[in-house]
Amino acid sequence: MKKIKNYFKGGPRNFFFLMLILLLGIAVLTKLTDFTRQRKSIAYSTFLKAVEQDQIKSVHIIGQEILGVFKDGTFFETVVVDNPKNIELLKSHNVDFSVAPVSTQFNFWHILLLLAFIGAPIAIWLILRQTRGSSGGGHGNIFSMTKSKAKMFLPSQIKVNFNSVAGVQEAKEELTDVVDFLKNPEKYRRLGAKLTRGILLVGEPGNGKTLLAKAVAGEANCPFFSISGSDFIEVFVGVGAARVRDLFAQARKHAPCIIFIDEIDAVGRQRGSGLGGGHDEREQTLNQLLTEMDGFESANTAVVVMAATNRPDVLDKALLRPGRFDRTVHVPYPDLAARESILKVHARDVKIAADVDFHKIARATPGFTGADLMNLINEAAIIASKTDALFVTMKDIEEARDKIMLGKAIKSRVLSEDEKRKVAFHEAGHSLAILLQPETSEPLHKVTIVPRGGALGITHWLPEKERFLTNKEQMLATITTSVGGRAAEEITFNVLSTGAHDDFKKATELAREMVCKYGMSEKLGHVVYKTDPDAKYSEHTLRLIEEEIKNIVDVCYKKALELLKTNKDKLDLLANTLIEKETLYAGEIYQLLGISPREEHRLI
Ligand code: ADP
Ligand code: ZN
């Protein structure tokens, strides 16, 4: 239903279009029905005369209307007086006649007209819409329904490169090998190196996923195909799959190149999810996408597929398998330093007054996305233009900021000072727990209080995918780190927030594995129990398992409390610095706290 509505919400221009088609339809139809008749209208008196002169072969009576044929073969129609004597007259002159009830005739025409009036314009409308949508690849004909609607950018049309993308240093670093591969696929082919062909860009809208993907194309000087996941899906089953096929066929022709699929979740949602039927189309499209990506490996084509989403959690697991989108690059909200550099990038095209302090503006715009910041500069320029000013001043920028802030406050992701403090202490708790436990297996990478997706702050201490915890000590240390966030909050604020829910879930899962899978519990011993929720144990065993899990988490929580209490000065220092800087990298933290990184935690 939503789809259908979309066809009509194109604004006044489209409405005009629709009306035009409707009128045309009516005109054509009226003409058409006249042609099919091709009979002349005659007067009742003429009709009577003709009967009397035996000129009529046969008639068909519908109520008061008579359709008939003369003996010379011409058709006629007339309207007669409702009189039983008509029948007598026809009989006496040997005219064949048949009679139809009025209602059948009415219904027949009624339905036909209705179908024609409603169906034809919609059909034409759909086809026109298709044609207008397909701007790339030069296929502008009416029957391009199954062609992909991707926009193609040639290298000469791509004006962005990594310099146009400010902040997101890590994302850029992670993508440098992709650039290299696209620039020089032979180099990799020669050695048989298998490079990632699918990259998932994860981040909230406006943080530069599209920009980043295009910048990769800009860096590699290769063509860029851009399409949105929702563009694949149409009302007709099979169209989406055909479009995917067409897109990949085109891309292969232009290899090395990049395919960028925005909003991949529109096609890539878990199969079999959603209410009711009607998902065949999406599933077919998704299957086709998977097939095409699998085809890369054998074909050895230098096509890289980048897809963007802010909901990686809803994606079908099949999409994330090796050989498909097996690499995830996060495109987070910009932190303080990133905001400053994004502002500077966009200020390049604007005349800026000397008083403008980008650092100050960055400070005053927490929670702004890259798009918001671009918007900020633009709004400020508009405000300045209105007063015929020569330069954009700090005052203009402030005014623009307030305007955008107001808009954002409604959707709000901006943390209040209070929340910011809580998140900072929570994350500092995680980080310190890592640093203070020599037995942790994973190095601290960075800690930030910039919101990303669902979680408010993120301490990057676990690799996103696989954890290799090899012994009991490491596992306990990991659990202690997990609950360290909550412990820090308890020590500092003495109230518990809901922010730690996920941490405790992780801690509990790991404790359950220790008890059930690895036989690391004394009470239960070296027995493997099923960890899945449907597994059935005796009530006694079940209670023992739950007790042991709780016991492990409790012990770890106490340890975390102790660790952080004895190092409260470090906790305060780290948290307060976080509030100030928003993101801290491992190196900065070591320096700040005056600890030296452990041997195994050194990166080089
Ligand atoms: P997304 O695809 O994540 O929704 P976009 O790439 O469409 O975000 O970003 C919209 C615009 O915001 C970009 O065209 C760019 O002008 C600006 N922008 C976003 N992030 C950045 C950034 N890191 N550096 C510079 N400009 C940015
Ligand atoms: Zn946490």
mmCIF file of all heavy atoms in Angstrom, residues 69 100 277 378:
data_model
loop_
_atom_site.group_PDB
_atom_site.id
_atom_site.type_symbol
_atom_site.label_atom_id
_atom_site.label_comp_id
_atom_site.label_asym_id
_atom_site.label_seq_id
_atom_site.Cartn_x
_atom_site.Cartn_y
_atom_site.Cartn_z
ATOM 1 N N VAL A 69 -29.870 -4.028 -37.655
ATOM 2 C CA VAL A 69 -29.143 -4.014 -38.912
ATOM 3 C C VAL A 69 -30.148 -4.032 -40.069
ATOM 4 O O VAL A 69 -31.131 -4.772 -40.042
ATOM 5 C CB VAL A 69 -28.135 -5.190 -38.967
ATOM 6 C CG1 VAL A 69 -28.811 -6.515 -38.699
ATOM 7 C CG2 VAL A 69 -27.398 -5.237 -40.296
ATOM 8 N N ALA A 100 -32.645 -7.992 -24.408
ATOM 9 C CA ALA A 100 -31.736 -8.128 -23.259
ATOM 10 C C ALA A 100 -32.227 -7.250 -22.122
ATOM 11 O O ALA A 100 -32.755 -6.173 -22.378
ATOM 12 C CB ALA A 100 -30.323 -7.709 -23.663
ATOM 13 N N GLY A 277 2.286 -11.976 3.948
ATOM 14 C CA GLY A 277 3.013 -12.403 2.750
ATOM 15 C C GLY A 277 3.599 -11.212 2.031
ATOM 16 O O GLY A 277 3.810 -10.165 2.605
ATOM 17 N N ASN A 378 26.173 26.364 5.699
ATOM 18 C CA ASN A 378 25.316 26.865 4.636
ATOM 19 C C ASN A 378 24.270 27.847 5.174
ATOM 20 O O ASN A 378 24.059 28.930 4.615
ATOM 21 C CB ASN A 378 24.648 25.684 3.939
ATOM 22 C CG ASN A 378 23.941 26.107 2.680
ATOM 23 O OD1 ASN A 378 24.494 26.896 1.913
ATOM 24 N ND2 ASN A 378 22.731 25.623 2.489
#
